[in-house]
């Protein structure tokens, strides 16, 4: 299994780090130790390390570093434990003897698998949320979140009729929408610069208006649709938790979170093979050459590979 290979490589990497570096390549002290032979060919620990380092080293290193960072940043909750236990139970049910054999092959108990893999994975999932909480002011400034109600209409007449009902208070947003051929729900939503499907003029209106401005009619930038818009709240601090919940799944947030925490914990790669692999496939993790743009002070911690 892939995890078996990664476990072995993780073990080898731990020895390589302790052994130090030469010409930007980590080496094993006992690299000449024979592991097995086939005919006249003997495979040493160094041979295996070099092969596995070049194929899986980068992913193992980043996974191990993320595990350490997650342990420092994210508290293990009862919900995490319960979720991990359910996952373990489902694996046992789904894979049966195959899963049991896997644990036996890697010399791991079910509790060790739960505590060393399943729970750390759940902790890692919480890092983007932690990043948003620790950098809230900068994130709010960058993503300009607003809470607004947007109704979409296909004709100007429908939009005007709905606007009139909303202004005189005779209809709710949902009623005004459904009564004038709109499929809009009338619910207030959080909008940020990530909402690329939102018309640019509507987005500008949401950014510039305040709750005191009430309802506004806005044509689409290409004139094909008409919108009735109201900014419900333009202070992100008032709906911080909702906003964080909506941003954690944004790919750029996940990328920024990785870079932020790897910089925070001084992640540094000395082995050139791993460095080159990270540069190619995991640039967000390779923070040692990035300029310091962190938004909060770093802890006195480090994660070196």
């Amino acid at each position: 299994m892939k995890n078996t290979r990664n476990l072995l490589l993780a073990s080898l990497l731990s020895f390589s780090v302790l052994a130090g570096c030469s010409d930007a390549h980590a080496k094993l002290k006992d690299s000449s130790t024979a592991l097995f032979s086939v005919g006249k060919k003997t495979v040493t620990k160094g041979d295996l390390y070099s092969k596995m380092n070049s194929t899986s080293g980068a992913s193992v290193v980043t996974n191990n570093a993320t595990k350490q960072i997650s342990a420092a940043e994210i508290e293990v909750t009862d919900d995490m434990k319960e979720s991990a236990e359910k996952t373990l139970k489902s694996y046992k049910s789904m894979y049966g003897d195959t899963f049991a054999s896997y644990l036996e092959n890697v010399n791991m108990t079910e509790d060790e698998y739960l505590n060393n893999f399943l729970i750390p994975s759940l902790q890692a999932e919480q890092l983007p949320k932690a990043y948003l909480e620790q950098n809230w002011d900068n994130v709010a400034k960058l993503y300009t979140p607003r809470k607004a109600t947007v109704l979409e209409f296909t004709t100007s007449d429908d939009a005007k009729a709905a606007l009139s009902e909303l202004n005189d208070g005779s209809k709710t947003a949902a009623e005004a929408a459904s009564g004038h051929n709109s499929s809009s729900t009338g619910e207030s939503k959080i909008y940020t610069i990530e909402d690329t499907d939102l018309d640019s003029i509507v987005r500008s209106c949401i950014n510039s208006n305040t709750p005191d401005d009430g309802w506004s009619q806005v044509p689409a930038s290409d004139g094909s649709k008409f919108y009735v818009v109201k900014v419900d709240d333009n202070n992100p601090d008032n709906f911080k938790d909702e906003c964080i919940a909506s941003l954690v799944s944004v790919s750029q947030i996940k990328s920024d979170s990785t870079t932020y925490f790897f910089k925070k914990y001084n992640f540094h790669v000395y082995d050139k093979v791993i460095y080159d692999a990270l540069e190619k496939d995991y640039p967000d993790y390779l923070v040692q050459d990035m300029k310091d743009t962190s938004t909060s002070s770093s802890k006195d911690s480090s994660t070196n590979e």
Side-chain angles (χ1 to χ4, degrees), residues 161-293:
L163 178 62
S164 176
E165 293 173 347
L166 291 167
N167 282 334
D168 65 25
S170 62
K171 300 288 185 180
T172 65
E175 291 169 342
S178 63
H180 297 284
N181 306 306
S182 173
S183 60
S184 300
T185 64
E187 295 178 357
S188 182
K189 292 177 53 180
I190 295 173
Y191 294 94
T192 73
I193 59 171
E194 286 297 313
D195 293 298
T196 55
D197 58 338
L198 193 64
D199 186 87
S200 59
I201 295 181
V202 176
R203 178 64 202 174
S204 296
C205 175
I206 292 175
N207 277 346
S208 60
N209 282 11
T210 70
D212 292 336
D213 292 321
W215 292 95
S216 302
Q217 183 176 339
V218 183
S221 54
D222 61 1
S224 63
K225 298 176 182 178
F226 301 87
Y227 298 88
V228 175
V229 180
K230 182 180 185 295
V231 174
D232 302 306
D233 199 333
N234 62 346
N235 183 355
D237 290 339
N238 293 337
F239 50 95
K240 178 179 177 179
D241 290 344
E242 291 178 77
C243 189
I244 287 177
S246 70
L247 287 173
V248 289
S249 60
V250 174
S251 59
Q252 186 60 50
I253 290 292
K254 292 180 179 179
S255 174
D256 290 344
S257 170
T258 295
T259 298
Y260 169 75
F261 282 116
F262 272 60
K263 286 180 70 69
K264 181 175 181 178
Y265 285 88
N266 262 344
F267 178 76
H268 196 103
V269 178
Y270 299 99
D271 183 272
K272 190 176 188 305
V273 173
I274 294 178
Y275 182 98
D276 290 343
L278 288 174
E279 188 175 41
K280 178 183 177 182
D281 299 322
Y282 303 89
D284 297 331
Y285 295 81
L286 195 60
V287 299
Q288 62 207 60
D289 298 328
M290 296 181 185
K291 293 182 179 179
D292 187 6
T293 58

